[in-house]
Amino acid sequence: MGYQAQLRIWRGDAGRGDLADYKVEVNEGEVVLDVLHRLQATQAGDLAIRWNCKAGKCGSCSMEINGRPRLACMTRMSTFGENETLTITPMRTFPVIRDLVTDVSFNYAKAREIPSFTPDPATKPGEFRMQQVDVNRSQEFRKCIECFLCQNTCHVIRDHTENEGAFAGPRFLMRIAELEMHPADTADRREIAQDDFGLGLCNITKCCTEVCPEHIKITDNALIPMKERVAGRKYDPLVWLGSKIGRRQVKDTPKVPGKK
Amino acid sequence: MTQATDTSSRTRAQIADRTLRKDPWWRAPAITATLLTIWVLYATVHVFLGRWYWVPKYHYLTPFYSPCISGSCATGSASLGTWFGKVPSIIPYALVSLPFVLGFRLTCYYYRRAYYRAFWRAPAACAVREPHKTYTGETRFPLIMQNLHRYFFFAVILISVLNTYDLTQAFRGPNGDFGLGLGTLIMLINVMLLWAYTLSCHSCRHITGGRLRHFSAHPVRYWIWTQVSKLNGRHMQLAWITLGTLMLTDLYIMLVASGAISDLRFYN
Ligand code: SF4
Ligand code: SF4
Ligand code: FES
Ligand code: FES
């Protein structure tokens, strides 16, 4: 039945802090978040944790458990040995507010920078019809719960803070891909995807895909198709030649204001 | 909604450890590095050896020497004729195809992931800090050249046609009539898998249909895209399997050509 689990939890604020040791009771069927709640209720009343749904749907409880970025509410205690010490730390890429709670506003700022859905003005509201096959690709991306685990894990910003300005991160490059695959969207974000949102910094090593709790194939279905689109816009000599002799017209979405 | 919080005073959690992962995260990159190194060493040796690439009796030609265009190629092995005179084998006999095959694999989205992780260690594994001070990804020369992958794809389509032609020749026995040996079957499997790998390419997925916004307006291309996407889901496996079958095919032909073993014949 129940056992006492060894936990090492990062406690602190404003970035300064340390790992503190605890022993907490674990019962059958529990997830890491249950155990953190028990710790909060019995020993560490001031432990800060963000959570909401306990069902893997709100994306609030992102943290790092034994070094792996995960949702605490979807990580079963049974995946660890009873004698194993669990090390639990906040997401490393975002500033710490307190204990396991990080400030993820970086992501909201990135979200706002992306030029939004741009339908053809000639199409009146209610006129456009879409088939299921046209939205299948976007629907996969729409499963995103905005847990930002992918953003946290991506080495482009995790290991290189200097790229934070230039790189939107997998979640928002996927948003660009979604709009670029939208049948009713008329904007062309290929150039800004590369120049303003840092698609070229991604080296398709797939860590975003590896950690996504919604199992979205971010790299295969959004980032690589986007890289191929960008190659067509910027790096394809034949397409370039075509645009010079006027066979193809390219109308890029203007640069994002305030970027570079 | 986010509030306008003061983030300036906040910093990331200061954790000195490179990673807190306890699982053997170093294993996958180590295996990748080992296998790729073995393969490259093997292929380099045979490509520059200049012998044991052709079995005249059964018309087996190893893919590493196709098309054999050097004047030094054995009679019967030069499917596209010889393009220059006798040269030492330091000039690979398949000079026209090897750079494209190599470039195709080097710029392949899967292999990129594999060697960035295994050799460049950026990152070796997820949530493991990489050793480099700065990082520019694929934004600058030389890595910006990865964007030319689609051109290698087109070239390799032509090379795959040639490999298929070589395979048809391997169905000819000693007297020129139909024949079948173990070598033929090995070549058949290799060529089929090479096609599967090539067609599962991400550039192929883009070109055939992925680049469209409006699938329902292009039903045929949509259908092709769905088929390529199915293969594409196996791209990593195919990348490894074809390394295996390429090496096996070459090794088998090398052993038969050198006389170390004789081909197992089923017919003629
Ligand atoms: S695939 Fe690209 S975006 Fe995703 S984690 Fe890797 S580098 Fe970052
Ligand atoms: S793409 Fe996946 S990992 Fe990234 S924020 Fe959305 S759900 Fe989380
Ligand atoms: S609490 Fe909602 S995802 Fe974990
Ligand atoms: S061959 Fe691997 S992506 Fe093209």
Side-chain angles (χ1 to χ4, degrees):
Chain A
M1 277 305 302
Y3 69 96
Q4 297 284 318
Q6 318 259 1
L7 303 185
R8 299 183 74 206
I9 299 176
W10 195 88
R11 304 288 316 261
D13 55 18
R16 282 173 304 278
D18 238 321
L19 294 168
D21 288 292
Y22 299 97
K23 257 188 187 258
V24 192
E25 186 190 323
V26 179
N27 298 316
E28 207 178 318
E30 287 185 332
V31 294
V32 171
L33 187 61
D34 292 317
V35 178
L36 289 174
H37 279 153
R38 181 165 303 117
L39 173 66
Q40 207 180 33
T42 57
Q43 302 171 45
D46 59 344
L47 174 70
I49 327 164
R50 180 158 45 213
W51 70 286
N52 211 308
C53 66
K54 242 199 95 186
K57 284 293 164 226
C58 73
S60 307
C61 63
S62 304
M63 55 186 72
E64 303 192 3
I65 303 168
N66 279 353
R68 309 190 76 161
R70 327 258 330 221
L71 294 178
C73 72
M74 298 304 281
T75 307
R76 293 187 168 278
M77 286 304 289
S78 59
T79 51
F80 307 102
E82 294 193 1
N83 299 320
E84 199 177 330
T85 307
L86 287 196
T87 310
I88 305 179
T89 54
M91 288 194 280
R92 277 212 205 188
T93 304
F94 308 119
V96 170
I97 297 175
R98 194 183 146 93
D99 301 339
L100 300 176
V101 179
T102 52
D103 177 352
V104 293
S105 44
F106 165 82
N107 301 290
Y108 300 117
K110 291 291 174 189
R112 277 192 294 267
E113 284 174 2
I114 295 167
S116 53
F117 177 57
T118 316
D120 183 349
T123 315
K124 306 260 168 347
E127 257 180 15
F128 195 82
R129 292 287 174 276
M130 266 195 278
Q131 310 281 322
Q132 182 60 38
V133 296
D134 293 323
V135 287
N136 278 342
R137 284 184 294 185
S138 323
Q139 275 180 342
E140 182 191 8
F141 308 151
R142 286 266 160 182
K143 290 194 301 183
C144 173
I145 59 171
E146 306 236 300
C147 64
F148 304 130
L149 284 172
C150 56
Q151 302 280 95
N152 166 58
T153 313
C154 179
H155 68 115
V156 175
I157 40 179
R158 183 183 176 97
D159 297 342
H160 301 282
T161 40
E162 72 277 10
N163 289 331
E164 278 178 5
F167 189 61
R171 200 272 163 255
F172 299 105
L173 291 168
M174 176 171 89
R175 170 72 181 147
I176 295 176
E178 180 192 333
L179 289 164
E180 286 302 291
M181 293 173 189
H182 195 298
D185 182 271
T186 57
D188 183 346
R189 300 170 190 76
R190 292 176 299 171
E191 186 162 275
I192 58 172
Q194 186 79 350
D195 297 349
D196 295 346
F197 295 108
L199 182 64
L201 288 165
C202 163
N203 67 353
I204 54 170
T205 36
K206 283 199 178 173
C207 287
C208 47
T209 307
E210 216 168 276
V211 299
C212 178
E214 283 294 312
H215 307 290
I216 303 172
K217 297 218 162 33
I218 308 171
T219 319
D220 280 351
N221 289 345
L223 304 177
I224 294 176
M226 208 51 224
K227 277 196 175 240
E228 281 294 315
R229 282 176 160 72
V230 169
R233 168 69 188 85
K234 287 176 73 89
Y235 305 111
D236 191 321
L238 288 184
V239 175
W240 177 83
L241 202 67
S243 75
K244 284 294 151 205
I245 56 177
R247 295 237 12 242
R248 283 183 199 231
Q249 293 295 325
V250 187
K251 261 194 94 198
D252 294 311
T253 298
K255 296 257 167 218
V256 180
K259 279 253 167 191
K260 270 181 260 177
Chain B
M1 227 355 257
T2 46
Q3 278 140 24
T5 42
D6 173 26
T7 50
S8 54
S9 62
R10 293 196 182 125
T11 51
R12 299 172 170 201
Q14 304 295 309
I15 299 168
D17 308 61
R18 182 172 169 225
T19 183
L20 291 168
R21 280 180 70 166
K22 292 179 186 162
D23 56 316
W25 55 265
W26 40 266
R27 197 150 64 191
I31 294 171
T32 307
T34 312
L35 292 179
L36 287 180
T37 308
I38 293 173
W39 197 91
V40 168
L41 289 178
Y42 172 87
T44 311
V45 168
H46 195 201
V47 160
F48 290 105
L49 204 57
R51 48 201 297 210
W52 303 329
Y53 55 88
W54 167 245
V55 182
K57 197 163 164 206
Y58 306 127
H59 314 95
Y60 294 162
L61 178 66
T62 163
F64 293 180
Y65 281 76
S66 177
C68 211
I69 54 159
S70 159
S72 318
C73 289
T75 359
S77 65
S79 53
L80 298 184
T82 50
W83 299 14
F84 44 83
K86 261 189 177 338
V87 288
S89 64
I90 190 75
I91 313 278
Y93 293 179
L95 188 62
V96 281
S97 63
L98 294 182
F100 293 103
V101 176
L102 183 70
F104 185 52
R105 301 242 171 190
L106 271 180
T107 59
C108 162
Y109 287 93
Y110 169 70
Y111 286 106
R112 272 145 78 180
R113 166 179 181 241
Y115 62 74
Y116 288 146
R117 280 195 185 207
F119 295 109
W120 195 239
R121 312 197 77 75
C126 304
V128 174
R129 189 185 297 141
E130 53 168 280
H132 309 285
K133 265 220 160 61
T134 57
Y135 174 85
T136 54
E138 299 183 334
T139 58
R140 298 199 193 156
F141 186 80
L143 292 184
I144 200 163
M145 304 300 280
Q146 307 279 29
N147 285 302
L148 296 178
H149 183 58
R150 56 183 63 177
Y151 285 95
F152 289 109
F153 166 74
F154 291 131
V156 165
I157 287 281
L158 296 178
I159 295 167
S160 300
V161 171
L162 192 67
N163 292 145
T164 313
Y165 171 80
D166 293 340
L167 169 68
T168 61
Q169 297 308 299
F171 279 101
R172 294 167 56 212
N175 52 12
D177 295 341
F178 178 78
L180 188 69
L182 182 57
T184 320
L185 292 185
I186 291 178
M187 285 175 76
L188 173 69
I189 292 169
N190 181 45
V191 166
M192 282 185 348
L193 287 163
L194 283 178
W195 272 112
Y197 168 72
T198 308
L199 294 176
S200 69
C201 164
H202 284 277
S203 289
C204 176
R205 191 178 182 219
H206 173 76
I207 295 159
T208 50
R211 57 194 296 271
L212 301 171
R213 275 179 190 257
H214 217 149
F215 278 158
S216 57
H218 301 86
V220 178
R221 290 183 69 183
Y222 173 66
W223 183 84
I224 297 174
W225 178 82
T226 50
Q227 304 308 312
V228 172
S229 296
K230 277 184 209 156
L231 273 179
N232 181 262
R234 303 237 164 279
H235 194 57
M236 174 177 92
Q237 287 86 332
L238 287 165
W240 281 110
I241 293 170
T242 50
L243 280 192
T245 59
L246 273 169
M247 189 157 148
L248 190 77
T249 310
D250 180 76
L251 185 69
Y252 186 82
I253 292 173
M254 180 150 81
L255 291 175
V256 174
S258 68
I261 58 170
S262 52
D263 188 29
L264 178 66
R265 299 302 288 177
F266 305 116
Y267 182 81
N268 192 6

